[in-house]
Amino acid sequence: MTDKDRVPAAEFPPTREAALARLAAVDPAGYTRRRNYLDGPVTRLSPYFSHGLLDMPEALQRLRTRAPLPLQHKLVFELAWREYFQHVWRHLGEEILADIRSPVSAAAYAQSLPADISAARTGVPVIDEGVRTLYQTGYLHNHARMWLASYVVHVRKVHWRAGADWMYGHLLDGDLASNHLSWQWVAGTFSAKPYLFNAANVAEYAPEWASPGTVIDCSYEKLEAMARGADSAGAEPAAPKKGLSMPRLTALPPAKMRARLRHSLDGMEAFRSQRVALVHPWALQARPDSSLVIGVLHAPFHQRFPWSAARWSFVIARMRAVTDVLWCGDLSGLPDELLDGGAISIAARRTLNPGYAGALDHPEVELSEVPRFLPDPDVLCGSFTRFWNEVVPAPAQSPRDRERVLARKLRT
């Protein structure tokens, strides 16, 4: 795989039209029946949610124009997980990047991903095909993500953070809360027990990735003992010697994407006496209603969490469509630079991403909130069940009454 091959899959064009078309194709009934199957009718909306081309309330409103979609529907329930992870992120901040609970094993977990995993040559078909799909498309079915994370942490004894950072960089939908807290949920550091899977589970939901005769072809009792043990199972004895070349992760867009990328506002007079909007990579729904729109990339964040060329291509293409100019640097100094240069107002969408969040939390920046379809409790909910019970009215009420109660909660 070469750099020129590392572009987003055709199924994820970085446009608002593509996002709405994907939303129009969602089959809620089919999702309920077959969402766990690798070929099941999942929404594949996550890149558009992560980068703000769609927001949750809009998506649900559009879905409900086609058919009833009560709060208790499985699709709504699963979408609520994304809002729950954002809730946890708001309360814990960068603490989501470290163990929230103690690991399930006293093992000396490796702090980097073994080469055979990143090269898709472990000899376990479900793992190798998952890695291959991740690199080729920038996307993985949620079940495949869980299988991959479980294998990395519990079978190979790699710390979840190493796996989470690696997957985050290659996903088009990479979101620190959804990705890293999901890895912690699988690892057992954000859940009551580790998530485990075996070859029979793969054979049922992804027969094309069946993995008989491998380390995961065993009972759940054996997998539990493996998870709580100290030793890595290692690659399969017959694992191939050669594998894939991992796509490079970089702190800046590849050179061919930097044509309009500025690192300074020197000589740029366009922001004087203007209403300026700052657009970051997680707020790409539409062009803000401002005189001048600057797409901003906070370089320190991307040095910590580099992206693949495929993700950079997705983000830069969309940013160019909704901004006047792209700027990259230390965002913490930009609001003052704009104000000192004569900008009369600055607007932006709030984000929790490290560095971006602090830089935009400026007394002269007018921040708009990320739209939610569920309330965000002021007290941290330590589990999704507690969160769900807190924000969704009890099932004993009629569906219409539940919607009314929830609407009142959202207004308060």
Side-chain angles (χ1 to χ4, degrees):
M1 187 180 295
T2 64
D3 281 339
K4 67 179 181 180
D5 299 318
R6 292 165 187 166
V7 296
E11 65 183 305
F12 295 110
T15 67
R16 172 82 169 154
E17 293 74 18
L20 293 177
R22 177 61 51 78
L23 182 63
V26 171
D27 174 13
Y31 178 89
T32 298
R33 291 192 305 269
R34 291 187 55 82
R35 69 189 179 281
N36 286 327
Y37 291 86
L38 197 65
D39 62 354
V42 294
T43 71
R44 294 180 179 263
L45 287 170
S46 52
Y48 302 112
F49 283 136
S50 290
H51 290 292
L53 279 78
L54 280 178
D55 62 56
M56 290 287 185
E58 177 196 23
L60 286 172
Q61 182 180 15
R62 286 177 177 268
L63 288 170
R64 284 169 170 167
T65 62
R66 293 161 39 197
L69 201 64
L71 287 170
Q72 304 298 332
H73 193 284
K74 190 61 180 176
L75 176 57
V76 179
F77 185 84
E78 293 300 324
L79 290 176
W81 272 94
R82 177 176 286 269
E83 296 217 333
Y84 171 61
F85 287 144
Q86 296 296 313
H87 160 79
V88 175
W89 195 10
R90 180 173 75 87
H91 283 277
L92 295 185
E94 292 202 40
E95 291 180 36
I96 68 168
L97 304 177
D99 293 350
I100 295 173
R101 299 179 181 176
S102 298
V104 301
S105 168
Y109 290 94
Q111 300 301 306
S112 61
L113 204 65
D116 64 286
I117 297 178
S118 61
R121 54 179 181 82
T122 68
V124 182
V126 64
I127 302 304
D128 296 341
E129 289 303 316
V131 174
R132 192 182 312 277
T133 301
L134 175 64
Y135 292 166
Q136 290 176 348
T137 70
Y139 178 85
L140 269 182
H141 186 289
N142 188 59
H143 222 157
R145 300 183 197 208
M146 294 169 66
W147 290 333
L148 185 50
S150 183
Y151 174 83
V152 168
V153 176
H154 302 308
V155 178
R156 299 299 300 274
K157 299 300 175 187
V158 178
H159 192 272
W160 65 265
R161 175 69 193 273
D165 283 355
W166 162 76
M167 183 178 282
Y168 171 88
H170 293 286
L171 287 169
L172 294 181
D173 62 30
D175 173 87
L176 285 180
S178 295
N179 183 68
H180 284 57
L181 289 172
S182 291
W183 274 79
Q184 291 223 52
W185 188 89
V186 167
T189 57
F190 186 55
S191 58
K193 59 182 180 179
Y195 169 79
L196 306 171
F197 78 106
N198 63 13
N201 186 252
V202 176
E204 179 178 1
Y205 294 108
E208 61 270 48
W209 290 0
S211 303
T214 64
V215 66
I216 62 168
D217 192 5
C218 61
S219 68
Y220 279 99
E221 290 76 16
K222 185 173 180 179
L223 286 166
E224 180 81 21
M226 196 182 305
R228 298 188 183 279
D231 298 326
S232 166
E236 296 295 302
K241 300 299 182 184
K242 293 185 178 181
L244 300 178
S245 173
M246 184 177 75
R248 202 157 51 99
L249 301 178
T250 63
L252 286 174
K256 63 182 179 180
M257 301 178 199
R258 300 180 199 166
R260 291 173 56 194
L261 192 64
R262 301 177 65 100
H263 298 276
S264 169
L265 295 182
D266 292 346
M268 182 179 170
E269 304 299 327
F271 60 87
R272 297 189 184 280
S273 301
Q274 299 291 328
R275 299 186 185 278
V276 177
L278 304 180
V279 172
H280 53 70
W282 299 276
L284 302 179
Q285 185 173 96
R287 178 187 171 88
D289 184 17
S290 292
S291 308
L292 176 67
V293 181
I294 303 176
V296 294
L297 300 171
H298 182 54
F301 172 89
H302 297 286
Q303 289 164 359
R304 289 181 66 188
F305 303 102
W307 289 349
S308 67
R311 186 167 186 188
W312 277 119
S313 179
F314 182 97
V315 168
I316 295 299
R318 183 57 186 168
M319 292 185 83
R320 284 176 174 167
V322 298
T323 66
D324 297 309
V325 64
L326 299 183
W327 175 94
C328 180
D330 188 337
L331 183 56
S332 61
L334 187 61
D336 285 328
E337 185 177 352
L338 288 168
L339 292 166
D340 292 344
I344 59 176
S345 70
I346 305 174
R349 172 62 58 83
R350 191 181 299 280
T351 178
L352 294 172
N353 285 281
Y356 282 92
L360 294 175
D361 188 17
H362 184 284
E364 298 299 325
V365 176
E366 182 181 348
L367 290 176
S368 58
E369 300 296 330
V370 177
R372 293 175 61 91
F373 79 94
L374 291 172
D376 188 359
D378 289 332
V379 177
L380 174 64
C381 297
S383 70
F384 177 78
T385 299
R386 180 180 172 188
F387 171 78
W388 184 257
N389 291 338
E390 176 75 19
V391 301
V392 175
Q397 296 172 298
S398 70
R400 187 172 181 180
D401 286 342
R402 288 198 298 272
E403 297 288 350
R404 286 174 175 170
V405 171
L406 181 58
R408 286 197 296 271
K409 286 187 176 184
L410 285 168
R411 287 196 297 268
T412 59

